[in-house]
Amino acid sequence: VVARKWRTATDVVAFELEPAVGQLPTCQPGAHIDIELPNGLRRQYSLTNGPGQLDRYIIAVKLEPDSRGGSLCLHQDVNEGDVLAISPPRNNFPLRRDALRTVLIAGGIGVTPLLSMAQAMAANSLDFELHYFVRSVGHAAFGDVLDRLAESVQAHSGLSAEQTGDEIDRILGPYVETNHVYICGPGPMLDAARSRAADAGWPDAAVHFEYFSNTNEVDDGSSFELALARSALTLKVNAGETILQVLRRSGIAVDSSCEQGACGSCVVGVVEGEPDHQDVYLTETERAADDRLVTCVSRSVSDRLVLDV
Ligand code: FES
């Protein structure tokens, strides 16, 4: 049930969701939920919950100018008292708690999962820095939470893309072992931050990221054989259909959420063959290892792919 809806920043509305009955499943920092919208769309939103907030989920939604109907629906049509169907939280962006230095870099609405991480770290007296890049001060969401974390938060307002990149270079510095960085924001900023981290010697394993969506054009023109090692099945994936669809049609249950290669919910292991990754979830190292793929957009370079399914 939408218990509260309020404007938390320019173009950003926040929602508190309470259970209609019973209790909500617990959630970890970095987790997201799927929401079934009244217009039939399903969208993913990160939880901004701090530790101990077990009675509600808190999300924020930015009104996207090129909204395909998700953010517009939540902004205009969903109001306090409305009932929404949601999934349990999934966490494909987990926080490590063994780092000597934890850097959180947020761009715009990408602050939401990082806010949850920041509150968890603060509650456990763990050191972290939250760098929040916004177009203007008015675009910074959840000012009350940021105020409580003020000594670990630095806002960077009104910077150009180049200035943002330079600032990220300064923030990251050269890689030091046991340092970890978590980045969430618009695709171009995330791409730039990842490449700057790589240039500064940060290994993939220390750079954690979450894209809002996969803006790559997915090429689904190939067809290939799909063998399932554990199910002893051989299937065909034709052009225009996804591995995920073919698996489900054969009665294999595979979890999914975004179904566009961004969230990682549908990852399965690869036993043999060369995947054609087209997602934005896997790191370069994971991609090169070719030992897993996301079933919603990945295909096969080889004629045959054997999955650990
Ligand atoms: S469902 Fe999100 S990556 Fe496949």
Side-chain angles (χ1 to χ4, degrees):
V1 178
V2 178
R4 186 176 166 222
K5 174 182 180 182
W6 73 104
R7 184 180 174 280
T8 179
T10 304
D11 293 336
V12 180
V13 168
F15 294 85
E16 274 185 13
L17 308 175
E18 291 182 352
V21 287
Q23 292 182 320
L24 295 169
T26 56
C27 59
Q28 296 295 319
H32 73 271
I33 53 171
D34 291 1
I35 301 186
E36 308 286 344
L37 299 176
N39 61 7
L41 295 174
R42 185 174 60 163
R43 290 289 183 265
Q44 293 73 45
Y45 295 98
S46 294
L47 300 177
T48 68
N49 285 49
Q53 288 180 320
L54 305 171
D55 55 342
R56 70 208 116 130
Y57 291 151
I58 307 161
I59 62 162
V61 181
K62 177 170 182 283
L63 183 61
E64 298 296 345
D66 54 352
S67 168
R68 288 172 295 142
S71 65
L72 193 62
C73 177
L74 278 154
H75 271 248
Q76 286 187 352
D77 302 332
V78 174
N79 295 301
E80 291 177 3
D82 288 352
V83 177
L84 300 168
I86 65 171
S87 73
R90 292 188 178 87
N91 195 0
N92 301 319
F93 191 34
L95 172 69
R96 294 177 59 129
R97 293 160 202 256
D98 57 351
L100 285 184
R101 179 178 178 231
T102 299
V103 183
L104 310 175
I105 298 179
I109 195 64
V111 75
T112 48
L114 303 182
L115 214 47
S116 183
M117 293 180 183
Q119 292 174 92
M121 297 203 72
N124 287 289
S125 304
L126 296 169
D127 278 341
F128 69 95
E129 307 153 34
L130 170 59
H131 295 272
Y132 190 5
F133 290 84
V134 285
R135 222 182 314 158
S136 73
V137 175
H139 285 83
F142 296 107
D144 53 336
V145 181
L146 293 171
D147 284 348
R148 288 202 295 275
L149 302 170
E151 64 184 41
S152 303
V153 175
Q154 203 175 330
H156 308 267
S157 172
L159 302 185
S160 66
E162 197 182 330
Q163 288 169 326
T164 299
D166 291 346
E167 193 62 10
I168 289 173
D169 278 344
R170 191 194 60 75
I171 291 164
L172 289 174
Y175 175 65
V176 176
E177 214 165 320
T178 72
N179 285 193
H180 285 267
V181 59
Y182 298 78
I183 316 165
C184 187
M189 178 201 164
L190 224 157
D191 291 343
R194 288 177 62 200
S195 100
R196 293 204 180 230
D199 290 347
W202 287 64
D204 265 359
V207 180
H208 313 269
F209 55 88
E210 185 169 71
Y211 283 83
F212 301 148
S213 60
N214 181 2
T215 51
N216 298 333
E217 187 115 349
V218 175
D219 177 0
D220 63 356
S222 60
S223 59
F224 52 94
E225 189 178 283
L226 190 68
L228 308 184
R230 281 189 281 133
S231 312
L233 276 177
T234 300
L235 308 165
K236 179 86 193 284
V237 179
N238 294 306
E241 57 186 2
T242 66
I243 295 176
L244 182 65
Q245 288 166 342
V246 171
L247 291 174
R248 287 185 172 160
R249 206 167 54 223
S250 307
I252 311 277
V254 183
D255 200 8
S256 75
S257 180
C258 72
E259 300 197 5
Q260 52 163 269
C263 76
S265 300
C266 65
V267 168
V268 300
V270 175
V271 177
E272 195 185 304
E274 188 183 345
D276 171 16
H277 301 286
Q278 300 193 54
D279 62 282
V280 290
Y281 173 74
L282 297 178
T283 64
E284 291 309 320
T285 307
E286 289 168 334
R287 221 174 259 272
D290 278 348
D291 60 356
R292 71 189 82 171
L293 55 70
V294 304
T295 55
C296 63
V297 295
S298 301
R299 307 189 72 78
S300 184
V301 175
S302 47
D303 293 338
R304 184 166 189 265
L305 205 55
V306 184
L307 301 184
D308 186 20
V309 170

